[in-house]
Amino acid sequence: TVSLRKLGGGYKSLAEIHRECPAKFGEAVKAHSRKCSLAKHEAEVRKRRKEQVWEVCGNLAREREILEVFAVDFRKRGIVGEERLGKLTFLAATSRLLERPVSIAVKGPSSCGKSATTGEVLKFFPEDAYHAVSTMSPKALLYSPEPMEHRMLVIYEVAGVKGTFAEFLIRNLLSEGKVSGEVTTNAGGMPTTVRVTKEGPTGLITTTTLPSWHEENETRY
């Protein structure tokens, strides 16, 4: 609840203006909204949140060799011999905050621990930092309710991407920072099309046993 200061004309509340002078009510609401700006309130909340977070992670943020700190905790999770891959994956996932996130493809033979290593690295991040799937239908990126802005799309085994259209959408999401397309829907019994846009920027982390994926997609990571 926002406490109201004395408003113009001697009125003490919006309710009083509405009751005694309805003609001024609309303008009074606008004036009051400017004084109690939602944007200002949100800025104050973000500032307080930053201060609280800095109290928790300030010491870590000041580390000169933060990747070495990560490596120590990574080994504690029982992952041995994959420190370099772990660091690269950690850096890629962190890059989601940039305007051009870094994408990586982890390649290797079956059962060599690619997905396990990736999964362990992701445990160092909040769930809203990435969207992980094992398979993806051709239009999944367009229909999915998941936001992709400043997130990593994680695909466990790229063979789970179904069809060239899905590959095309991923390629555009990485290159253009968003994907958009027209999809068919039913409105009042009549088929029609609506434009759907998925905003980025988004990075990709995927694993594969293939020596190469789609030749154009390969240039994106």
Side-chain angles (χ1 to χ4, degrees), residues 142-143 180-187 192-197:
L142 288 177
Y143 284 109
S180 61
E182 292 186 343
V183 298
T184 303
T185 185
N186 192 299
T192 186
T193 59
V194 294
R195 176 165 287 276
V196 179
T197 300

Side-chain angles (χ1 to χ4, degrees), residues 11 14-23:
Y11 299 104
L14 292 176
E16 187 177 343
I17 295 176
H18 188 269
R19 182 175 62 252
E20 297 184 17
C21 190

